[in-house]
Amino acid sequence: MSQFPDAKFILSAASPQQFPADRGSEVAVAGRSNAGKSSAINAIVNRRQLAKTGKTPGRTQLINFFELGKGQRLVDLPGYGFARVHAEVRRNWSLLLESYFEGRASLKGLLLVVDCRRGLGEFDLTMLAFADDRRIPVHVLLTKADKLNKKDAAASLQQAQAQLGASASVQLFSALRQRGLEESREALLRFLGTERRQR
Ligand code: GDP
């Protein structure tokens, strides 16, 4: 049973003017493209197709807003691999994300999805800096943990913890194996300001 049975897509925004009203609380989810962000969102919200996985032309460079419950939103931020994009796309992305982070009063936390085999990269450090500028708390999901053996997964966790220090909490996660769901849901609810779902 989903903790968010009423979760639904609100809109996709290409500019701040299109953002929904800045009321209530929302948690943003970011990740380098292909890190496993859509799979993580679907697993956490327990809705198979809420965020589309894989290649979705059109939606990938937009900020997608979802309603989780009354006055509570989850915000799917566009991600990409830095090396592969055109400078102009990168600049537009940066401006859109900057205006989102700077101006969004209802933003209460960031979930950062990182492929546990790659570790934190340039994209992730940019997102951490955006969050840090606004003192937004961050929780890192080291996803695809099913792809590493126990020892390597533990090493990946330890390395991320050492890099992040006190700036973020971090956990191992696997959408495929449904691993780490409780911990990630707790972080989401903590950021939203609701320890348990209120109906
Ligand atoms: P996004 O681009 O960050 O939204 O990533 P997606 O969620 O679309 O996933 C990218 C690829 O990684 C897809 O082929 C997924 O099936 C795969 N993937 C995502 N999460 C996991 C996971 O936990 N384990 C494994 N083994 N594969 C995953």
Side-chain angles (χ1 to χ4, degrees), residues 26-123:
E26 65 192 27
V27 169
V29 189
R32 188 185 194 281
S33 94
N34 218 38
K37 173 170 55 85
S38 309
S39 305
I41 292 173
N42 292 336
I44 290 168
V45 181
N46 196 17
R47 288 276 293 277
R48 224 190 265 178
Q49 282 289 339
L50 192 66
K52 305 276 192 298
T53 50
K55 309 267 166 290
T56 359
R59 266 219 206 172
T60 49
Q61 285 309 308
L62 304 171
I63 297 185
N64 301 306
F65 291 84
F66 299 91
E67 188 175 86
L68 293 178
K70 210 170 175 349
Q72 298 184 330
R73 289 175 303 277
L74 186 145
V75 183
D76 182 4
L77 300 178
Y80 58 77
F82 268 91
R84 270 187 273 133
V85 298
H86 194 270
E88 197 184 340
V89 174
R90 179 176 168 155
R91 203 162 41 244
N92 288 342
W93 173 88
S94 189
L95 288 172
L96 181 62
L97 269 281
E98 259 175 63
S99 55
Y100 172 75
F101 273 94
E102 277 172 14
R104 200 70 183 158
S106 50
L107 175 62
K108 303 297 184 210
L110 172 70
L111 296 179
L112 184 59
V113 180
V114 177
D115 186 326
C116 69
R117 298 165 303 173
R118 302 183 70 113
L120 297 163
E122 187 188 351
F123 178 97

Side-chain angles (χ1 to χ4, degrees), residues 181-197:
L181 289 183
E182 277 316 306
E183 200 177 342
S184 56
R185 283 180 187 142
E186 272 165 28
L188 171 61
L189 292 172
R190 190 170 68 240
F191 291 161
L192 287 171
T194 12
E195 297 307 323
R196 255 196 258 153
R197 198 177 112 237

Side-chain angles (χ1 to χ4, degrees), residues 110-199:
L110 172 70
L111 296 179
L112 184 59
V113 180
V114 177
D115 186 326
C116 69
R117 298 165 303 173
R118 302 183 70 113
L120 297 163
E122 187 188 351
F123 178 97
D124 308 303
L125 300 180
T126 303
M127 298 310 303
L128 286 165
F130 279 147
D132 188 55
D133 282 348
R134 273 277 314 275
R135 302 283 179 270
I136 302 288
V138 181
H139 183 72
V140 176
L141 305 180
L142 294 173
T143 193
K144 310 195 192 183
D146 56 277
K147 299 230 187 198
L148 293 180
N149 64 34
K150 223 175 167 179
K151 184 164 156 280
D152 291 343
S156 159
L157 178 61
Q158 213 170 28
Q159 196 192 354
Q161 276 167 337
Q163 271 179 287
L164 291 163
S167 70
S169 48
V170 54
Q171 66 161 113
L172 288 166
F173 186 90
S174 166
L176 188 76
R177 299 264 176 262
Q178 304 268 293
R179 172 177 179 189
L181 289 183
E182 277 316 306
E183 200 177 342
S184 56
R185 283 180 187 142
E186 272 165 28
L188 171 61
L189 292 172
R190 190 170 68 240
F191 291 161
L192 287 171
T194 12
E195 297 307 323
R196 255 196 258 153
R197 198 177 112 237
Q198 293 168 355
R199 294 225 72 181

